[in-house]
Amino acid sequence: EAQVTQNPRYLITVTGKKLTVTCSQNMNHEYMSWYRQDPGLGLRQIYYSMNVEVTDKGDVPEGYKVSRKEKRNFPLILESPSPNQTSLYFCASSPTHPRDTQYFGPGTRLTVL
Amino acid sequence: EDKVVQSPLSLVVHEGDTVTLNCSYEVTNFRSLLWYKQEKKAPTFLFMLTSSGIEKKSGRLSSILDKKELSSILNITATQTGDSAIYLCAVDRTGGTSYGKLTFGQGTILTVHP
C-alpha cells in the first residue's frame, strides 16, 4: 500500500531533550516536506526536500533540522526542543513538486513540557 | 513577505446551504493555488488552479482563481454533514530561491449541521 509513515505518533518530552521524528514513504517520490499545524495558523512549512541531499527552509525552520540521505526517508530533528514547538507535525511527499498531489502522513502530536 | 489569507476563519451552516470560502494571496513568482480538505486526520488534495486552468469542478465543489484580484474561492453547494472539515488553501511559486516552497493560509473551519 502506498503510504507515508511517521513515528512516533504521539510524544511527550521535556525542554532540551533532543528528539527525532521519522518519516518514510514507499512511493519513490522525489519531493518531501515537513509541516507543523497550530490552531488558527493553518499548516506552516518547516523544511522541504526536492531530492536526495537537497533540502531548503520553509517558512518556520528555526529550531529544526532535517536530512535527506536516501530518497524514502526524511527525518525531522529537534536538537533542543522548547515548549513553543508543541504542535501537530505532518510529513508529506509528492512525485516531483508540492503542486503534484501531496500524500500526507498520519501526523505526530508533540508536547514539550 | 509572502502571505496567504483565508476567510472566514470559521463558518457554521445547515445541510443544503451553499457556502463560499475565500483565499487571497500576495506571493512572489506565483504559479498555482491549491485547495485541501482536512477532516480529522491529514489533509487531502482537492484542486490545483493555475493561470492556464482557472476553474475546476468536482461534484458539488468548484473553485475559481482570479489572477487580477489575487484570490480564489471554493464553492460547496448543497452542503452535507460530511463536508464538515478544515479547508486549506496553499500557494506555490514558479522558481527562484523559493521553488518547492508551499505557503498555506490559516484555514477555514466549516461545520455543517443536520
Side-chain angles (χ1 to χ4, degrees), chain A residues 37-90:
Chain A
Q37 186 170 33
D38 303 289
L41 295 176
L43 284 173
R44 291 181 292 168
Q45 192 176 43
I46 303 171
Y47 270 95
Y48 62 95
S49 170
M50 300 295 292
N51 212 328
V52 176
E53 301 293 359
V54 180
T55 63
D56 275 298
K57 295 177 182 178
D59 288 320
V60 288
E62 295 79 18
Y64 303 94
K65 285 172 63 173
V66 292
S67 69
R68 187 93 182 272
K69 294 191 171 78
E70 340 162 66
K71 190 180 262 195
R72 64 183 294 126
N73 296 323
F74 191 44
L76 179 70
I77 302 154
L78 285 73
E79 294 267 359
S80 183
S82 62
N84 65 12
Q85 292 178 299
T86 292
S87 188
L88 178 60
Y89 291 86
F90 287 103

Side-chain angles (χ1 to χ4, degrees), chain B residues 68-89:
Chain B
K68 216 183 251 187
E69 296 295 326
L70 304 184
S71 66
S72 174
I73 59 169
L74 176 68
N75 277 324
I76 309 175
T77 59
T79 52
Q80 303 170 356
T81 55
D83 295 325
S84 295
I86 301 173
Y87 290 84
L88 298 156
C89 74

Side-chain angles (χ1 to χ4, degrees), chain B residues 33-52:
Chain B
L33 187 144
L34 302 97
W35 283 98
Y36 286 84
K37 177 183 181 182
Q38 184 179 20
E39 296 175 83
K40 290 186 179 168
K41 298 181 182 177
T44 53
F45 174 81
L46 290 175
F47 297 119
M48 182 180 73
L49 301 153
T50 67
S51 54
S52 58

Side-chain angles (χ1 to χ4, degrees), chain B residues 26-67:
Chain B
E26 290 177 33
V27 171
T28 308
N29 298 325
F30 169 86
R31 187 198 182 275
S32 54
L33 187 144
L34 302 97
W35 283 98
Y36 286 84
K37 177 183 181 182
Q38 184 179 20
E39 296 175 83
K40 290 186 179 168
K41 298 181 182 177
T44 53
F45 174 81
L46 290 175
F47 297 119
M48 182 180 73
L49 301 153
T50 67
S51 54
S52 58
I54 61 170
E55 187 168 355
K56 292 282 176 75
K57 189 173 166 61
S58 175
R60 296 177 295 104
L61 276 67
S62 62
S63 184
I64 297 173
L65 177 69
D66 187 335
K67 284 204 76 179

Side-chain angles (χ1 to χ4, degrees), chain A residues 31-33 35 45-50 54-61 96-99, chain B residues 1-3 26-32 34 90-104:
Chain A
Y31 183 90
M32 296 185 76
S33 183
Y35 303 92
Q45 192 176 43
I46 303 171
Y47 270 95
Y48 62 95
S49 170
M50 300 295 292
V54 180
T55 63
D56 275 298
K57 295 177 182 178
D59 288 320
V60 288
T96 57
H97 192 276
R99 73 178 71 99
Chain B
E1 185 185 328
D2 292 344
K3 254 191 323 189
E26 290 177 33
V27 171
T28 308
N29 298 325
F30 169 86
R31 187 198 182 275
S32 54
L34 302 97
V91 171
D92 87 294
R93 296 131 174 103
T94 56
T97 56
S98 294
Y99 187 68
K101 197 171 174 183
L102 197 63
T103 300
F104 281 82

